[in-house]
Amino acid sequence: MFTAQPISSLNFNILTTRRRRSSGVPATSAENNVRWVLQKPNLGSWANRVGSVRAVISSEDKTLDSDSKPLKEKDLNGSLSSSSSASSGIDLRAVIKIRKKMREKLIDKIDDACESFINGIGQGILIQVVSEEIDPVTKAGKTVESTVRGWLPRPSDHPYIAEYGADFTVPIDFGRPGAVLITNLHSKEFFLVDIVIHNFSEGPLFFPANTWIHSQKDNPESRIIFRNQAYLPSQTPPGIKDLRREDLISLRGNGKGERKMHERVYDFALYNDLGNPDKDDLARPVMGGEERPYPRRCRSGRPPSKIDPSCETRVEKPHPVYVPRDETFEEIKQNTFSKGRFKAMLHNLIPSIAATLSSSDIPFKCFTEIDKLYIDGVMLKDEEHQSEGFLDNFAKQVLSIGDRLLKYETPAVISNRFVWLRDNEFARQTLAGVNPVNIELLKEFPIVSRLDPAVYGPPESALTKELIEQELNGVMSVEEALTNKRLFILDYHDMLLPFVDKINSLPDRKIYASRTIFFYNNSGFLRPIAIELSLPPTPDSPHNKYVYTHGHYSTTHWMWKLAKAHVCSNDAGVHQLVNHWLRTHASMEAYIIATHRQLSSMHPIYKLLHPHMRYTLEINALARQGLINGGGIIEACFSPGKFAMELSSAAYKQMWQFDMESLPKDLVRRGMAMEDPSMPCGIRLVIEDYPYAADGLLIWSAIKDWVETYVNHFYPDHSTIASDVELQAWWDEIKNRGHYDKRNEPWWPTLKTQEDLSGILTIMIWIASGQHAAINFGQYPFGGYVPNRPTLMRRLIPQENEPDYKKFLLNPQLTFLSSLPTQLQATKVMAVQDTLSTHSSDEEYLGQLHQSHSNWINDPKIIELYKKFSSRLSKIEEIINDRNKDVHLKNRTGAGIPPYELLLPSSGPGVTGRGIPNSVSI
């Protein structure tokens, strides 16, 4: 919000005179007296001035003219008696709800009192009601204008809501209001919750807003708020058709200039703000374009950097990055969790950790040192750069910090201390961990790379048939295992090998391109049987491929542990940069921008998607500022280092495909399911006990059915899809601007039928809700214990002809621990994972209608369908809970095995390891 300003800066005299002259109504004695109070120089403090204002209000209350009569409780509750007649028209009362700040300093309270008074005398908010009917004279919607009036508003049922009233008299033939225009005459913005117009025979008319209303001094244009009636473009009543078009034009902007923080302009830009060419070693290539394709982000329009004009100048923390005003976190989220917590974590906690540990940034020497993070904690230095009261007001709420002691919660994966060491747990997490979306059925043998052999050497894998059969212990041949769908693979070879040399050139950063083979045995367990770790060929070593198996004596056993750690490190990097950031955060940003630019807020598809867009642009902007940026947390703490976003771009180029973001299609593509029309969703899982897929299909099916019934309600036939100009422009912009670098791909779905639209929307809603939940909220429960899921490795595995091999033989545990992230790196990334795994107290979950959106649509049929959707999700929660108690489902139950709850729809606040928010909100 804008900084509170003195009352005199509100231009009280000018506004009062202008409004009175234009209306021909003389100033009341109250207004004249208040003007005198505000102007008198010798009244002293603000408190004295406000007290004088209140005294004027009290003394003048009985002498107010009829225009500024006090609001009565019955007025605000809508219990009005109609005074309509053929001559006088219909008397209406509009009730305006404005959200106040939750945490107010004294100056804010004084400012609120002044604003309340200004509103009370009709000088703060101008409101214009626009009819759905055309005025035959103006050829536009009929209008009637008033000001928000009434003295100090009555207390609302909600402690942070203020309610005001505005009275109108409209002609009998005015028609139904379709829009309201709001002009904010104050010097700063305010948050409008909604407007309700009373005294229509059909009942109250709702105008949901949940939006910031800019000050007229920042933008003279009034804000347009539409009624909660959904209209396709062709169905738009004539009186508000022009407003529909004007509102969309204002949201698109002109693509020029630097965006201001109060604006609501949605436009596309390249990822050209990740690096800072003007600083040493922080230059990063632009993401987006033929060489490094990427989805587009929200344009902020900052000037180019001095050294590289293709890059935008950065806004460094703690200064905010522009996002359209309504995309910013609401205050409850700022205060109780995300923005305050996320930014404090980046600006305060991470620097404090660095200050404490940087002088001794060393590896863990024993597992006990890791355990101390949960038992004893880390005593943080109280650095000067920390904001006053940080440790008291923030840190205690975050990670059990008290008296500068940082103590982490014990992550779920080590509820049984040694479960993580088992091969079965390593394999189980590919099906029920935080990244269960990369395992594939092994369909062909031998395994062959698709990379250019002239550059990357012979394409054949070192995982031979003989080696696999040896590890199968004669149970079956490779051919039988392939036929019976028993062999699976986690294959990061082709994705990572082009980056290995570049990453390994970074200090203390070592990586292999990995392949891991799993066997699904008769007991229902997935077991890792072989790991291949590859380096690019060199003249001296053209076959840099190393194969590791479990082994039955100490040396090979420790080698196997190191190989699994390298696989986990690769998995963590791909998870964070590809499956989490690219496939949910970055892809959703492009859909959200196009939705605001091309679909009116009264469009039924906008109304369907709106809950699934909440907070995404803001969290993405914060990530570009402190997580995925050059020198950010991801570069510092994950294997790819400074090449992290280049890896993400390469994955987008090679494998991202919109239609394959469908859960059923993705499972079939990976060979984890087979098409079967007799089964729900038309597929049958190859491994029945695949928790992510089994629970995910329940959620997917519920979303799909809800979306299909919704779409069919508004689009009775194919022709209505084709003729919807906003809808067609929306889909065209997603393909040709949001995903510009993939615009010519043949796999983009067409948008001609109800089935096409339902399929597209189901994918988007699934990505924003279920998919993001499944791969986000388990980050700390699984990654909070560094040995289970290291985010980087600092050493290659020592070979027999290398000096480090003798050190390994003497102390294999130290070799293992010294290969993991250092204490500083581990502590940083644990703080990030904890934050990213935390639900805000104002989270909006799938199927749960937030109170502020209770009147989101005026359609009883849709409300009924939504209730069915919500009820179905409640039943799904019961099904998942029952599955987690089934002893036959060994990937969910057993000694030390945490239940799979990442796709349980509901959750409370905090790190719960469950809950599906509507949107990508963290």
Side-chain angles (χ1 to χ4, degrees):
M1 295 184 68
F2 290 97
T3 305
Q5 300 180 21
I7 298 177
S8 59
S9 70
L10 297 179
N11 298 317
F12 180 87
N13 292 301
I14 297 174
L15 293 176
T16 301
T17 303
R18 184 180 67 190
R19 293 297 305 143
R20 285 295 170 184
R21 284 177 179 172
S22 63
S23 62
V25 180
T28 65
S29 58
E31 290 167 349
N32 288 327
N33 286 340
V34 168
R35 184 184 300 112
W36 177 85
V37 168
L38 298 182
Q39 291 177 336
K40 192 169 179 61
N42 59 356
L43 285 182
S45 67
W46 281 109
N48 289 341
R49 287 176 182 250
V50 172
S52 299
V53 168
R54 292 182 181 276
V56 170
I57 295 172
S58 177
S59 64
E60 298 281 352
D61 189 34
K62 295 181 180 180
T63 65
L64 295 174
D65 60 25
S66 59
D67 260 355
S68 54
K69 62 186 178 182
L71 298 184
K72 296 180 180 178
E73 189 130 342
K74 66 174 184 176
D75 294 333
L76 290 171
N77 287 329
S79 304
L80 299 171
S81 58
S82 175
S83 61
S84 59
S85 66
S87 58
S88 63
I90 303 173
D91 293 333
L92 303 179
R93 160 59 58 90
V95 176
I96 295 91
K97 291 183 183 177
I98 294 175
R99 192 178 65 207
K100 300 184 295 183
K101 291 184 68 173
M102 296 174 61
R103 294 185 177 182
E104 293 185 312
K105 299 178 182 178
L106 177 60
I107 188 65
D108 295 320
K109 294 180 180 180
I110 294 171
D111 212 36
D112 278 349
C114 296
E115 287 183 19
S116 295
F117 175 74
I118 298 300
N119 288 337
I121 61 174
Q123 301 299 319
I125 303 173
L126 181 65
I127 180 169
Q128 189 175 15
V129 177
V130 183
S131 172
E132 294 181 344
E133 304 292 333
I134 285 285
D135 187 319
V137 177
T138 64
K139 306 300 181 184
K142 300 174 182 177
T143 62
V144 61
E145 181 179 299
S146 183
T147 54
V148 171
R149 284 184 174 273
W151 297 112
L152 300 180
R154 74 173 180 86
S156 167
D157 294 335
H158 193 291
Y160 305 113
I161 298 294
E163 294 183 349
Y164 299 90
D167 294 322
F168 302 87
T169 298
V170 301
I172 296 295
D173 62 350
F174 183 78
R176 181 187 297 148
V180 171
L181 274 60
I182 295 287
T183 304
N184 176 10
L185 304 179
H186 293 287
S187 64
K188 66 177 184 177
E189 64 185 357
F190 63 81
F191 189 88
L192 178 65
V193 178
D194 62 31
I195 301 169
V196 183
I197 297 182
H198 297 276
N199 213 24
F200 271 87
S201 58
E202 61 189 88
L205 302 182
F206 292 93
F207 295 76
N210 291 299
T211 183
W212 289 98
I213 306 297
H214 58 261
S215 169
Q216 190 182 46
K217 74 179 181 62
D218 292 315
N219 182 355
E221 298 296 324
S222 301
R223 278 294 310 283
I224 304 169
I225 310 296
F226 293 106
R227 192 163 61 90
N228 64 341
Q229 183 69 45
Y231 290 116
L232 297 178
S234 60
Q235 300 168 340
T236 310
I240 57 173
K241 186 173 291 186
D242 287 344
L243 292 180
R244 182 173 187 146
R245 178 180 58 83
E246 290 171 14
D247 192 46
L248 284 174
I249 290 173
S250 70
L251 289 167
R252 294 171 194 156
N254 58 11
K256 299 178 181 179
E258 183 173 356
R259 298 268 65 90
K260 299 179 177 62
M261 299 307 292
H262 69 271
E263 293 179 327
R264 296 168 60 251
V265 175
Y266 297 79
D267 203 356
F268 296 99
L270 300 168
Y271 275 73
N272 62 351
D273 64 340
L274 299 177
N276 189 345
D278 299 335
K279 289 188 176 181
D280 292 340
D281 201 37
L282 287 180
R284 296 293 182 269
V286 173
M287 298 295 114
E290 185 175 351
E291 185 177 357
R292 296 181 182 87
Y294 217 63
R296 297 306 191 254
R297 67 170 176 93
C298 186
R299 179 184 179 276
S300 47
R302 297 188 299 271
S305 68
K306 295 177 182 178
I307 293 178
D308 185 355
S310 68
C311 292
E312 192 173 85
T313 51
R314 283 184 54 77
V315 175
E316 299 295 349
K317 54 191 181 184
H319 302 292
V321 177
Y322 169 81
V323 293
R325 186 65 182 96
D326 289 343
E327 303 300 323
T328 56
F329 294 151
E330 296 179 19
E331 190 181 5
I332 186 171
K333 192 171 180 77
Q334 294 178 21
N335 288 342
T336 61
F337 168 63
S338 205
K339 188 172 183 181
R341 175 176 178 153
F342 190 85
K343 293 185 79 171
M345 181 267 295
L346 291 176
H347 305 162
N348 301 99
L349 180 58
I350 295 300
S352 185
I353 292 172
T356 302
L357 299 176
S358 60
S359 60
S360 58
D361 186 16
I362 58 177
F364 294 103
K365 294 185 178 64
C366 60
F367 287 97
T368 303
E369 288 186 344
I370 302 175
D371 295 340
K372 284 182 178 180
L373 293 173
Y374 318 109
I375 300 171
D376 299 330
V378 177
M379 186 66 69
L380 299 178
K381 294 180 180 179
D382 194 3
E383 295 297 303
E384 291 181 1
H385 64 259
Q386 292 180 5
S387 57
E388 184 178 358
F390 160 67
L391 289 168
D392 291 331
N393 299 330
F394 161 70
K396 289 180 181 178
Q397 303 172 16
V398 179
L399 297 168
S400 303
I401 303 176
D403 299 325
R404 300 194 299 277
L405 179 67
L406 168 62
K407 190 167 81 171
Y408 289 90
E409 297 294 328
T410 302
V413 74
I414 54 166
S415 55
N416 182 314
R417 182 65 65 186
F418 301 107
V419 163
W420 70 274
L421 283 166
R422 299 190 329 220
D423 283 355
N424 285 348
E425 178 62 15
F426 172 77
R428 187 190 77 86
Q429 289 184 30
T430 67
L431 300 172
V434 71
N435 189 41
V437 297
N438 282 107
I439 187 169
E440 300 183 21
L441 178 72
L442 185 60
K443 300 174 183 177
E444 296 178 351
F445 211 88
I447 302 166
V448 179
S449 171
R450 296 183 297 275
L451 297 174
D452 184 356
V455 178
Y456 299 104
E460 294 80 16
S461 168
L463 296 166
T464 64
K465 175 183 176 182
E466 292 73 21
L467 179 109
I468 299 299
E469 290 182 344
Q470 177 182 324
E471 294 303 311
L472 292 179
N473 297 319
V475 173
M476 61 180 66
S477 67
V478 166
E479 290 81 4
E480 290 173 322
L482 291 174
T483 300
N484 294 323
K485 296 180 169 55
R486 294 295 191 92
L487 290 176
F488 297 84
I489 186 170
L490 195 63
D491 191 350
Y492 296 133
H493 180 276
D494 287 6
M495 184 187 297
L496 295 180
L497 193 61
F499 291 90
V500 168
D501 279 344
K502 291 191 288 187
I503 293 171
N504 287 348
S505 69
L506 300 173
D508 287 333
R509 201 69 59 98
K510 299 300 177 185
I511 188 175
Y512 297 94
S514 62
R515 291 187 179 107
T516 309
I517 303 295
F518 301 87
F519 177 68
Y520 191 65
N521 61 27
N522 292 330
S523 300
F525 284 113
L526 197 63
R527 180 171 63 88
I529 59 174
I531 294 172
E532 178 189 52
L533 301 178
S534 300
L535 298 172
T538 65
D540 297 332
S541 197
H543 301 281
N544 276 350
K545 299 177 181 179
Y546 307 94
V547 173
Y548 300 90
T549 57
H550 179 78
H552 301 287
Y553 70 104
S554 179
T555 300
T556 55
H557 185 67
W558 274 103
M559 287 284 192
W560 175 244
K561 289 185 189 304
L562 284 167
K564 288 197 298 180
H566 272 281
V567 172
C568 288
S569 173
N570 288 348
D571 191 69
V574 171
H575 162 259
Q576 198 67 262
L577 293 162
V578 179
N579 299 325
H580 183 205
W581 173 258
L582 168 64
R583 294 177 63 186
T584 63
H585 284 259
S587 294
M588 279 304 302
E589 180 150 355
Y591 311 147
I592 291 168
I593 296 169
T595 300
H596 283 286
R597 286 171 56 84
Q598 299 298 339
L599 298 182
S600 166
S601 60
M602 69 175 80
H603 196 291
I605 302 307
Y606 177 95
K607 290 184 177 294
L608 175 68
L609 289 176
H610 186 258
H612 306 289
M613 304 189 292
R614 186 179 187 232
Y615 293 156
T616 303
L617 298 191
E618 172 82 338
I619 195 64
N620 286 4
L622 289 171
R624 294 200 312 275
Q625 192 177 38
L627 286 183
I628 64 171
N629 60 303
I633 301 297
I634 299 300
E635 287 193 1
C637 300
F638 284 77
S639 286
K642 64 188 293 185
F643 305 104
M645 289 303 290
E646 292 184 58
L647 173 62
S648 188
S649 170
Y652 178 70
K653 183 176 184 178
Q654 295 167 14
M655 52 79 62
W656 188 87
Q657 191 170 320
F658 178 84
D659 58 329
M660 289 300 161
E661 295 301 289
S662 155
L663 176 61
K665 286 187 177 181
D666 175 64
L667 292 171
V668 172
R669 177 187 63 81
R670 291 191 282 122
M672 301 304 293
M674 300 175 293
E675 293 185 358
D676 185 344
S678 68
M679 295 293 292
C681 298
I683 63 171
R684 181 187 300 274
L685 294 178
V686 171
I687 297 178
E688 182 181 351
D689 186 15
Y690 183 3
Y692 158 77
D695 294 357
L697 288 171
L698 294 175
I699 302 297
W700 170 273
S701 180
I703 294 172
K704 178 176 178 288
D705 290 348
W706 152 242
V707 169
E708 285 179 347
T709 54
Y710 187 98
V711 166
N712 290 334
H713 177 75
F714 289 102
Y715 295 95
D717 52 53
H718 297 344
S719 64
T720 51
I721 298 284
S723 63
D724 188 334
V725 292
E726 288 184 6
L727 187 71
Q728 294 298 328
W730 167 77
W731 184 233
D732 180 77
E733 188 159 276
I734 286 173
K735 295 182 295 181
N736 294 312
R737 294 199 64 189
H739 287 272
Y740 178 84
D741 302 323
K742 294 265 190 175
R743 65 194 182 282
N744 295 323
E745 297 289 351
W747 39 253
W748 283 105
T750 59
L751 183 50
K752 297 179 180 179
T753 68
Q754 296 102 318
E755 291 78 13
D756 295 338
L757 179 56
S758 296
I760 290 167
L761 293 170
T762 301
I763 288 175
M764 291 180 181
I765 294 173
W766 160 251
I767 291 170
S769 57
Q771 180 72 352
H772 180 257
I775 59 179
N776 180 72
F777 293 103
Q779 289 194 69
Y780 187 79
F782 286 98
Y785 186 66
V786 178
N788 178 66
R789 193 170 176 79
T791 55
L792 61 82
M793 296 294 283
R794 302 169 62 246
R795 304 284 185 271
L796 295 176
I797 299 176
Q799 302 302 311
E800 290 187 26
N801 59 345
E802 296 174 351
D804 286 344
Y805 189 74
K806 290 184 179 179
K807 296 179 182 178
F808 162 69
L809 292 178
L810 290 172
N811 194 338
Q813 176 176 291
L814 183 61
T815 298
F816 179 86
L817 290 171
S818 66
S819 299
L820 300 182
T822 64
Q823 295 186 33
L824 174 60
Q825 290 167 330
T827 313
K828 276 185 179 181
V829 82
M830 288 165 66
V832 173
Q833 289 173 331
D834 177 272
T835 300
L836 297 180
S837 302
T838 301
H839 290 291
S840 169
S841 60
D842 75 332
E843 197 68 86
E844 296 179 3
Y845 295 96
L846 192 66
Q848 297 180 4
L849 198 60
H850 196 267
Q851 184 178 2
S852 62
H853 302 293
S854 56
N855 294 302
W856 65 288
I857 194 168
N858 181 31
D859 193 317
K861 177 63 176 177
I862 291 299
I863 298 299
E864 178 186 348
L865 291 172
Y866 188 83
K867 289 179 179 178
K868 288 182 179 179
F869 173 56
S870 180
S871 176
R872 183 170 175 180
L873 289 171
S874 297
K875 292 177 181 177
I876 288 172
E877 188 153 321
E878 295 176 5
I879 293 171
I880 293 174
N881 284 328
D882 289 341
R883 287 175 174 177
N884 285 330
K885 299 173 186 176
D886 188 341
V887 295
H888 299 98
L889 300 177
K890 298 173 183 177
N891 288 319
R892 297 174 180 270
T893 58
I897 301 297
Y900 187 76
E901 298 182 328
L902 289 170
L903 285 168
L904 280 172
S906 68
S907 175
V911 180
T912 64
R914 58 177 290 168
I916 304 177
N918 276 322
S919 61
V920 180
S921 57
I922 184 59

